[in-house]
Amino acid sequence: MTTVIKNGTIVTADLTYKADVKIDGGKIVETGPNLSGDETLDASGCYVMPGGIDPHTHLEMPFMGTYSSDDFESGTRAALSGGTTMVVDFALPAPGQSLLEALTMWDNKSTRANCDYSFHMAVTWWSEQVFKEMETIVRDKGINTFKHFMAYKGALMVDDDEMFASFQRCAELGALPLVHAENGDVVASMSAKLLAEGNNGPEAHAYSRPAEVEGEATNRAIMIADMAGCPVYIVHTSCEQAHEAIRRARAKGMRVYGEPLIQHLTLDESEYSNPDWDHAARRVMSPPFRSKQHQDSLWAGLASGSLQVVATDHCAFTTAQKRFGVGDFTKIPNGTGGLEDRMPMLWTHGVNTGRLTMNEFVAVTSTNIAKILNIYPKKGAILVGADADIVVWDPNRSKVISSKTQQSAIDYNVFEGKEVTGLPRYTLTRGVVAIEESTIKTREGHGEFVRREPVTAVSKALSTWKEITSPRKVERSGIPATGV
Amino acid sequence: MTTVIKNGTIVTADLTYKADVKIDGGKIVETGPNLSGDETLDASGCYVMPGGIDPHTHLEMPFMGTYSSDDFESGTRAALSGGTTMVVDFALPAPGQSLLEALTMWDNKSTRANCDYSFHMAVTWWSEQVFKEMETIVRDKGINTFKHFMAYKGALMVDDDEMFASFQRCAELGALPLVHAENGDVVASMSAKLLAEGNNGPEAHAYSRPAEVEGEATNRAIMIADMAGCPVYIVHTSCEQAHEAIRRARAKGMRVYGEPLIQHLTLDESEYSNPDWDHAARRVMSPPFRSKQHQDSLWAGLASGSLQVVATDHCAFTTAQKRFGVGDFTKIPNGTGGLEDRMPMLWTHGVNTGRLTMNEFVAVTSTNIAKILNIYPKKGAILVGADADIVVWDPNRSKVISSKTQQSAIDYNVFEGKEVTGLPRYTLTRGVVAIEESTIKTREGHGEFVRREPVTAVSKALSTWKEITSPRKVERSGIPATGV
Amino acid sequence: MTTVIKNGTIVTADLTYKADVKIDGGKIVETGPNLSGDETLDASGCYVMPGGIDPHTHLEMPFMGTYSSDDFESGTRAALSGGTTMVVDFALPAPGQSLLEALTMWDNKSTRANCDYSFHMAVTWWSEQVFKEMETIVRDKGINTFKHFMAYKGALMVDDDEMFASFQRCAELGALPLVHAENGDVVASMSAKLLAEGNNGPEAHAYSRPAEVEGEATNRAIMIADMAGCPVYIVHTSCEQAHEAIRRARAKGMRVYGEPLIQHLTLDESEYSNPDWDHAARRVMSPPFRSKQHQDSLWAGLASGSLQVVATDHCAFTTAQKRFGVGDFTKIPNGTGGLEDRMPMLWTHGVNTGRLTMNEFVAVTSTNIAKILNIYPKKGAILVGADADIVVWDPNRSKVISSKTQQSAIDYNVFEGKEVTGLPRYTLTRGVVAIEESTIKTREGHGEFVRREPVTAVSKALSTWKEITSPRKVERSGIPATGV
Amino acid sequence: MTTVIKNGTIVTADLTYKADVKIDGGKIVETGPNLSGDETLDASGCYVMPGGIDPHTHLEMPFMGTYSSDDFESGTRAALSGGTTMVVDFALPAPGQSLLEALTMWDNKSTRANCDYSFHMAVTWWSEQVFKEMETIVRDKGINTFKHFMAYKGALMVDDDEMFASFQRCAELGALPLVHAENGDVVASMSAKLLAEGNNGPEAHAYSRPAEVEGEATNRAIMIADMAGCPVYIVHTSCEQAHEAIRRARAKGMRVYGEPLIQHLTLDESEYSNPDWDHAARRVMSPPFRSKQHQDSLWAGLASGSLQVVATDHCAFTTAQKRFGVGDFTKIPNGTGGLEDRMPMLWTHGVNTGRLTMNEFVAVTSTNIAKILNIYPKKGAILVGADADIVVWDPNRSKVISSKTQQSAIDYNVFEGKEVTGLPRYTLTRGVVAIEESTIKTREGHGEFVRREPVTAVSKALSTWKEITSPRKVERSGIPATGV
Ligand SMILES: [Zn+2]
Ligand SMILES: [Zn+2]
Ligand SMILES: [Zn+2]
Ligand SMILES: [Zn+2]
Ligand SMILES: [Zn+2]
Ligand SMILES: [Zn+2]
Ligand SMILES: [Zn+2]
Ligand SMILES: [Zn+2]
């Protein structure tokens, strides 16, 4: 059975043109004028774009004996509802746990996914076993990215030594290290100090991790990657300090990527001053929201290319879960939603204002990360042969964001009350319509795992350059030459 | 008649994949496996890439009663020989001259072109007439770029006032201003001083225009564009100072492009110390060659995206012409060749060293400028419907660059003696084989003018943003409110 | 007759210690414990500091057929009242006018000064005459600074050519160029545009000269000074863009100074949104007030030493004079007061908050500029032999600033209603008590002209370095060597 | 007995003037014209300057069962011979050792000192004991600086947690943390890798600690100090990366100091390529020598004030000791000499070239560090009451540096063969002539310990600012307000 998307304007990361799109067997089989098929989707007045890819989600993530409340079913449903057709989640081994074992746990959760997905593997400890399993993860399991936490001391955090070892291993395998960049030692110590001083509200979460703390860690991760000879990808870049470190590295030719979140682009630190504890606590995430100056920096980074990807770090906890932290901000589960809102919010505040072109919108929501993750053009493209992960985007459709109408399982939305203009008319996952305006047609378990091969062009080029410029032994005739 | 390029690997700005390419009527009509056609070109072991676009040439440019020695015939022949399939030249009205009249003069020269071409129009003076003709140039003549010289005082140079007026006009028309950025006042004054002190050799040309002088003008052009509300493109960015100004602007979200030349990427200032006057004089161009630190900056800019395009500023003068400046460096005609060598030199020093990926090579030699000039995907792409301007690139073919074997009309080559690895096996211009290894099959007059429409997505987005953030009048009730 | 300041703590740019100060003949003759003299001033609980030096005032400045309302009498009275014991005013030749003639005009005005003073000479046009008179000004008239306006097109503005010529002359004479840095072409053009669009209120003055416009001109002035081989001093640095240009230059070892005004440190752009036209118009000055982010940049510059001097640009126009610009902001006379408030405001917002140490307060209000102007330690020091220009500063004295109680001749104060803590108990000019708390004891005509010699240590060092690194001619044997 | 230095020109950090200096009891008792005393030292043609202070030496430092070869006798003799009249050495507790116990060990060594000295205390581990002893060190022992090593893993290195704890303790005590900034984890890992690859020569020492590794650690130390609320002093800043981190911090108003070494200012990495193993090994220090671009950065920092102090890190090992590392660069003792050469080398390459003024020379060799260490004006000044630590500097005296004529105990000199112009005619330590041209008159044991009080003006101001801007608890009415 074939489906044709008719009368729309295709918008990709580098093209805008009128054409129909024909889909068969879950893939795009033709683009051009006047196509016809068994089923027709009307895209009049709409843009036909690659479905969004959110490379940073935490669905059904274990936390203090419970789990983040959006699982692969509700999470991917929310994603599709907002035009996102693929998510990449994080497999998180406990310290000491086998990477392969952790992967199995995550594989089990993902069977319910409504759209395609992949995993990043986290390196949360170091040993000969981890060293070896990394190869299996890359070669056999189709995962080419490894996440490292510089924060969450006593839990997921790795130190510089472990990070350097892991990055060197990434360089050998052609894999890409990802980094949560905050100085965990400093955050832990400042948190304890704030608590001791009676500063126990949600706002103290923000006080415990200022922009300088994130900037420092970002800078450190970049140096370590440079020494290890691999590219590096900084997740949830939230502030000018981190962005500056990225820009400074890129200005030297280093291969560094930065990923702002839609939350940091559109919400600011004043949220934490809200007298309603719940309001503030629901917005507790790491890094915390920043000031408007930081937002300007992030938007400029997207326009100029020093930042490449907009993600969500979707990790949804209910108000009840958030209240674990009443009286002690360090116990508030970290995380907010965003999967359903990322694309409409970015369109509204980016494209509608002229901060981004439509093509840049596609680039930062889909195509850039597809390239970085080495799944382009299977994903992130409107090209013959690509998966038919497509959003038919109606630039005139509006709504007011509300938890009452959202797909996410939680009872609030950090964007509550914001009006967005620009929403999906249809979202297709591998050719199947999952969303038709407000009608949800998702199919649980439809989603498939997306393999990702290592050794991107960038990683290969960097290896060549590092080899050419590697230190050379000085030849000496007699050591010491003076005669010993 | 159809032509098929077989067994090659297609390399574009964002894809690398094995496929054949079928050409008919000068356009790409199909890509895929196992294609066949009337004629077959073997691309085994080769990369099939969009032909290069050199957006900065001066063919048959009038100078002191003579002309630069490569005209549209020899110049485009050299281009094709090196894998470049389109050039953009500069129509230069004399101060006071009608833009339309100047365009006619350049139109007349270009009839002999072997490959496609376009023009930038220069704004070398300002008046109501220029203001009006700019619209005609854009709307009727298919030119969306206007060049401004901040140097060449007393000749082409415009002052800030004229530049601001012209940039505002560009903003209205959706056109893109281009800038030669050197402080012409300072250059003129320092040149006179150097001469007066007996510093009359070619090295004094470099002394008269240090990196700081270029950096300053770059910075100024960017500010003026920001105030006028248009993007801006800086030609021949040669130094860290100019690149820093560009990066700083981009970090604020400004829409600024930078274009290093292959000469500045690979040759350095030590050339001017050569005791052979001819050697030094042949390398006199503006900006002059810089130190190796500046080269590193430019390479990093290409990798990180803060610089987008590699050009040549090809403006070839013979040794005899260069000798006009014996005893007075200010009379040495400015310019060097490079059209034939840009792509092999960039491949050798960029791709072979790992400083650039192959995709980045395509981006900076072809695709990026096609997008900036709004001719993508007609040019700069391997896509169905695109012009079959294609280079079949043999990464193993080597040669030593020599003026003896070059296509350019001049008697030397600034890259003389350099070995390059990576050369065209075939170059096709609109489907016609113009080059087959060292065999030249170009056809004089084959080249066509390429129209370029205004109002790119970037220019439109910037206009929206500037409108949203434009100054708002403060409403006052009584002026002065205190009672007058 | 001798005067002794007893029981105070001496605070200088680099020392804080308890000691009495003995004065005779207008000079400090002794410091130490237990001094006695004919007259005693009690400094218990106070800091004894060098009197402030304000290097940027416009007293009785001609403007549109009238004059700025504070003349040398009321202006220096206001200065002394706030702890400032010396002002440097600007002699402004009309274009075409002799520098010496202009100096005579200013000499005539200054006879009424209550405290010591000096002049900067402005270079508002260029000719052989100006070139020659500059030497007379330096050698005979005791003036070692020349002001250049990059704005005020059609009036005081000079172009790059003139500025470069004048800077080179400064380098020869060992004089220091000063620069008002705003791009005058752009300001003029944007002003006209705003007016044409009906944006005629005082806020449009700010719109006509954004931070980028100041940053650009600052950057340009610095480059021109670098090429000319002289240090350069940027007056009224109001924004991060200008400060960044200064920092960037200093990071390369260039000798560049920046002078924020107390207004820009403590007042912001929101003043222009005041619905009261008078309120906004009274704050019209160039550069205009900026946002709080710019303020942070300026404060940081004072602490870190990238900015050296806090001045006022005191140029006071009455409300009646400001109203010349009703309906056309370009006719609002530019300037605000500040002479009386500079030191209390800086102490309150700098020292009391911990942004500056007391020593840094002395440095930026007095000592640094004394060194830059080459009058240290005659001025700016508490040393034996120094002029007894002293302020006895009571850190506990408070007041609310009000035009009702000010010395300035105008009818308002831009700091109206601000509370300051830290005020003079006594201000002495050359040993004479001019101020005793709120009691004014100034003597009209007491002030003397302060000669300033050229060729500071910095200017000499820079000349040496520029000579050592100057371009060298390449020796060639036969030109061209190839045989012609 | 009084001594008078006659006919010289006094040069201090901010003054240059002709005056005699009269000394009694080891202190300056008078400055002025025509002084006379019991003994007269002729300073005709000379500059009379505060003796140098070298804040960074390692005399008789324990190392692998032996000691650095210059002890407090030969080391201070070398210092005086070169015009340096005070050294500050590092008391280095072994991990686990009491700070007080370590101080006693260093006290014992210092009894032989020929000139005054002080100690920095190192924090090489962390515990309640260290926390408490820090107070004793500050309050009772007269030491206000604590050194932290971010490198030397497994020996002196502390991690971020320990560093943050110690910095917070410094903030409480008004002490200043000092930092050796290199990422020790990365250095250790890269060293092992280089060795494993057979890269065992002295040049591999440099390869193991690139500029990026130092820059990272510098950046990290600064962030930690910012969070702790104290100033920070970075020792041996050797590269642009570290300097950039310092500049960036200062541009935000942070209180950060940087100390380049005379070695890094004048010697470069090419020394390590010397085919003579001994030549290269003798230059092994951390950080290693860098390229000339880094030198330019450091010189510019001294001129602009972003770097404040020139030191030596004098830690002299003989060739025999250096040869411990034959076959394994990690066993080459780290350190070079410099005490005798710092001032002549800096004068020659700084003042004689115009890179620094004479006043800046005094500032960076003596006065700035005296202020930072809170011993100004006892040290670092030519003022009545100051210690008579004075160098009478003959700007015309020349020599060629040679180990044959040096005071240091070792058998080579890293500046061997360099000609210097500008040398002491006399060096006085507390009024006693220790050096008269090449004649050594030092007295073993003459040197005294210099107490240094905590809470400088800068540290106090910073505390105030941090308090004012500290996080404030959000008041909430009911937690959560929504009703729990
Ligand atoms: Zn995270
Ligand atoms: Zn996350
Ligand atoms: Zn040009
Ligand atoms: Zn050109
Ligand atoms: Zn001004
Ligand atoms: Zn002024
Ligand atoms: Zn060290
Ligand atoms: Zn050391």
Side-chain angles (χ1 to χ4, degrees), chain B residues 70-234:
Chain B
D70 276 320
D71 58 17
F72 277 79
E73 193 288 316
S74 69
T76 54
R77 178 159 34 87
L80 287 162
S81 169
T84 290
T85 54
M86 177 176 170
V87 299
V88 192
D89 212 85
F90 292 83
L92 304 173
Q97 189 184 19
S98 153
L99 308 190
L100 297 168
E101 187 180 308
L103 184 56
T104 304
M105 290 169 59
W106 259 261
D107 274 340
N108 291 341
K109 298 179 202 181
S110 63
T111 52
R112 300 178 57 213
N114 294 294
C115 68
D116 286 1
Y117 60 89
S118 188
F119 295 118
H120 308 292
M121 175 54 61
V123 172
T124 59
W125 60 297
W126 192 248
S127 71
E128 184 72 14
Q129 181 189 353
V130 173
F131 176 87
K132 285 184 182 155
E133 289 187 346
M134 284 176 75
E135 182 165 14
T136 311
I137 292 293
V138 170
R139 301 268 159 85
D140 300 348
K141 300 300 179 183
I143 290 177
N144 62 17
T145 43
F146 292 92
K147 173 76 173 286
H148 303 77
F149 294 88
M150 299 174 79
Y152 302 123
K153 190 175 178 179
L156 302 168
M157 178 168 141
V158 284
D159 65 22
D160 290 3
D161 219 26
E162 296 166 318
M163 203 154 65
F164 187 40
S166 178
F167 281 24
Q168 287 178 289
R169 185 60 169 153
C170 286
E172 289 164 5
L173 297 170
L176 174 70
L178 276 50
V179 180
H180 173 126
E182 295 184 298
N183 187 308
D185 277 351
V186 170
V187 168
S189 180
M190 298 215 298
S191 297
K193 187 155 178 272
L194 284 158
L195 273 181
E197 293 164 356
N199 237 320
N200 62 10
E203 72 280 11
H205 173 79
Y207 301 158
S208 73
R209 43 219 323 148
E212 293 293 344
V213 172
E214 179 186 349
E216 183 282 314
T218 302
N219 190 67
R220 183 154 37 107
I222 290 169
M223 180 280 282
I224 293 175
D226 185 41
M227 292 301 116
C230 60
V232 65
Y233 180 102
I234 311 297

Side-chain angles (χ1 to χ4, degrees), chain D residues 237 239-248 297-298 300-301 306-307:
Chain D
T237 302
C239 62
E240 163 59 12
Q241 278 85 342
H243 184 195
E244 186 278 332
I246 293 171
R247 289 198 310 271
R248 186 158 32 87
S297 169
L298 301 181
S306 51
L307 302 174

Side-chain angles (χ1 to χ4, degrees), chain C residues 260-267 295 298-299 302 310 346 355:
Chain C
L261 305 182
I262 187 62
Q263 295 92 323
H264 291 116
L265 286 161
T266 59
L267 301 174
Q295 292 179 4
L298 301 180
W299 282 106
L302 293 175
V310 175
L346 191 72
R355 280 188 135 163

Side-chain angles (χ1 to χ4, degrees), chain B residues 277-278 282 317-326 333 411-412:
Chain B
W277 189 98
D278 280 348
R282 287 161 174 165
F317 292 101
T318 62
T319 304
Q321 288 174 312
K322 289 283 186 180
R323 288 184 186 173
F324 292 173
V326 170
D411 58 320
Y412 62 92

Side-chain angles (χ1 to χ4, degrees), chain A residues 432-446:
Chain A
V432 178
V433 174
I435 301 294
E436 182 174 352
E437 299 212 329
S438 349
T439 310
I440 308 300
K441 304 176 167 182
T442 53
R443 304 180 195 177
E444 188 175 327
H446 167 81

Side-chain angles (χ1 to χ4, degrees), chain C residues 157-225:
Chain C
M157 178 169 141
V158 284
D159 65 21
D160 291 3
D161 219 27
E162 296 166 318
M163 202 154 67
F164 188 38
S166 178
F167 282 23
Q168 288 178 290
R169 185 60 170 154
C170 287
E172 290 165 5
L173 297 171
L176 174 70
L178 275 50
V179 179
H180 173 127
E182 295 185 296
N183 188 308
D185 276 352
V186 169
V187 169
S189 180
M190 297 213 299
S191 297
K193 189 157 176 270
L194 284 158
L195 274 181
E197 293 164 356
N199 238 320
N200 61 11
E203 72 279 11
H205 173 79
Y207 301 158
S208 74
R209 40 217 328 147
E212 294 292 343
V213 171
E214 180 186 349
E216 183 284 312
T218 302
N219 190 67
R220 183 153 37 105
I222 290 169
M223 181 280 283
I224 292 175

